[in-house]
Amino acid sequence: MDKEVQQYLDRVHESDFAMLSEVDRICKKHNIQYYLHGGTFLGAVRHQDFIPWDDDVDILFLREDYERFLDVYEKEADKRFKLLRFERYPQFFDFITKIADYDLTYEETSFGAEDYYEHRYSHPTLDLFVFDKEADNHKWQLIRMKLLYALAMGHRPYVDYSKFKGVMKVVSFLLTTVGKCIPFKVIAYKYIKLQTLGGLAKRAPEGAEGAGDETTLFISNEQPDPRYWGLDFDADHLIYGPDTAKIRGKEFPIPKNHDKWLKKTYKDYMSLPPEDKRVPMHVNVIKKNEDRSL
């Protein structure tokens, strides 16, 4: 990675650290449990910092804590860090609520269409992922969520149908076309209802380990991505209280069984990807590679 790109990413990481520290402050004040997630979790364990080429922050809540966080965040947070609740907007980016640092604006993002989203996502972002209980018929729950995702794609500025093959290309075209006719907010609230079909995922009582009476959880607002989509996490993956890992010398919470978790999602997680895969995912500072890795 050349010096200019690294300097730019250093500025992004300053922003990422400021957002994460503000979230951590609010969560501690209100006794809200969260964990580092995704590349942020991996970076804290493998690099004791952000992954050098990663450009956003990922954290994870149980549903109960997520709802409590949304209730207090906008009253408590520095106004520079704006909460972007996906269900509030008429356009579809994904089903992930984000926090954006409006003190830093990207010149260009990897997905384009900044004007379509009114530049909401042209900033460093912190993504809020949610653990929900699986419904009794979880496979059918996931199928319905995928269908809603396809309908929601109709509310993006464009869809790259070349990613689909054969009959799936036709199906995706039909679903996105139908989705354009349905207001996105209708789709969004149906998606939220499906996320919570299995009931509210709660914390265990004070002093007990685990995630309440939940035995099987899933990350309900992931994109249909093979890394996390459909993965089951039993209570053994999520034990309270958490361990911690450092980012820039500050301790942040991670799942206690982090080795088991990271092996489940990244396999040999301590090994670095090939050098040509070490690229930012969102900010367009170098030529992008379709197959990005952490």
Side-chain angles (χ1 to χ4, degrees), residues 37-39 58-60 92 94-96 127-130 142 145-146 149 191 195 218-231 233 261 265-266:
H37 177 53
D58 303 312
I59 64 173
L60 174 67
F92 176 64
D94 52 30
F95 288 116
I96 302 168
D127 292 352
L128 311 180
F129 290 93
V130 189
L142 288 176
M145 291 172 78
K146 250 185 186 176
Y149 199 99
Y191 194 90
Q195 287 179 283
F218 76 116
I219 301 169
S220 64
N221 61 338
E222 279 284 358
Q223 297 181 23
D225 175 285
R227 177 166 287 151
Y228 282 109
W229 183 262
L231 277 186
F233 292 84
W261 181 300
T265 52
Y266 295 104

Side-chain angles (χ1 to χ4, degrees), residues 7-289:
Q7 286 176 340
Y8 194 82
L9 282 173
D10 286 345
R11 175 67 184 90
V12 172
H13 288 157
E14 288 175 11
S15 169
D16 290 341
F17 186 71
M19 282 190 290
L20 181 57
S21 296
E22 181 71 341
V23 166
D24 184 72
R25 178 189 70 79
I26 293 168
C27 286
K28 284 177 178 174
K29 178 178 178 179
H30 292 276
N31 189 29
I32 296 169
Q33 181 63 67
Y34 77 96
Y35 295 103
L36 300 186
H37 177 53
T40 311
F41 177 16
L42 177 59
V45 173
R46 190 172 69 192
H47 302 264
Q48 293 79 57
D49 202 343
F50 296 114
I51 295 173
W53 53 91
D54 197 14
D55 60 2
D56 71 347
V57 181
D58 303 312
I59 64 173
L60 174 67
F61 300 88
L62 280 165
R63 171 65 63 176
E64 178 185 47
D65 285 309
Y66 172 74
E67 298 292 350
R68 290 181 58 225
F69 179 78
L70 294 183
D71 284 343
V72 302
Y73 178 80
E74 289 177 300
K75 302 170 190 172
E76 292 273 356
D78 187 319
K79 299 305 178 188
R80 119 187 208 195
F81 304 126
K82 186 172 180 181
L83 185 69
L84 306 176
R85 295 182 64 164
F86 66 89
E87 70 271 22
R88 289 178 175 174
Y89 302 100
Q91 308 94 352
F92 176 64
F93 187 77
D94 52 30
F95 288 116
I96 302 168
T97 291
K98 301 172 185 286
I99 294 167
D101 180 2
Y102 272 58
D103 270 12
L104 179 61
T105 300
Y106 298 146
E107 292 180 11
E108 184 182 359
T109 62
S110 60
F111 53 87
E114 284 87 352
D115 289 343
Y116 181 79
Y117 295 110
E118 299 173 333
H119 290 269
R120 284 192 295 278
Y121 306 111
S122 301
H123 315 277
T125 57
L126 182 151
D127 292 352
L128 311 180
F129 290 93
V130 189
F131 247 154
D132 278 306
K133 293 173 65 174
E134 293 185 356
D136 291 338
N137 192 341
H138 183 52
K139 287 184 178 179
W140 177 231
Q141 181 185 22
L142 288 176
I143 289 170
R144 292 164 69 189
M145 291 172 78
K146 250 185 186 176
L147 288 171
L148 284 175
Y149 199 99
L151 291 172
M153 292 285 284
H155 293 276
R156 281 188 174 175
Y158 52 81
V159 180
D160 183 3
Y161 295 106
S162 67
K163 294 181 179 180
F164 304 96
K165 295 182 180 180
V167 68
M168 287 308 300
K169 184 175 288 190
V170 176
V171 170
S172 61
F173 177 78
L174 289 173
L175 288 172
T176 54
T177 301
V178 171
K180 289 177 183 177
C181 303
I182 305 170
F184 172 67
K185 289 185 180 181
V186 173
I187 298 172
Y189 282 104
K190 286 184 179 295
Y191 194 90
I192 293 169
K193 188 173 181 180
L194 274 178
Q195 287 179 283
T196 55
L197 204 59
L200 185 67
K202 299 179 180 180
R203 265 200 271 175
E206 193 70 29
E209 292 187 333
D213 61 351
E214 287 74 45
T215 55
T216 313
L217 303 165
F218 76 116
I219 301 169
S220 64
N221 61 338
E222 279 284 358
Q223 297 181 23
D225 175 285
R227 177 166 287 151
Y228 282 109
W229 183 262
L231 277 186
D232 298 319
F233 292 84
D234 58 38
D236 194 36
H237 285 93
L238 193 70
I239 295 179
Y240 291 89
D243 275 354
T244 60
K246 288 184 178 179
I247 293 178
R248 300 197 162 195
K250 183 175 179 177
E251 303 277 355
F252 294 98
I254 61 172
K256 194 165 188 177
N257 286 353
H258 54 268
D259 180 67
K260 180 178 180 180
W261 181 300
L262 288 169
K263 283 177 178 175
K264 183 182 181 78
T265 52
Y266 295 104
K267 312 304 180 193
D268 183 15
Y269 64 87
M270 292 302 289
S271 296
L272 296 179
E275 192 167 344
D276 65 332
K277 302 294 190 288
R278 302 175 197 176
V279 296
M281 187 174 289
H282 303 93
V283 57
N284 191 18
V285 292
I286 56 177
K287 186 176 180 181
K288 302 179 296 301
N289 190 301

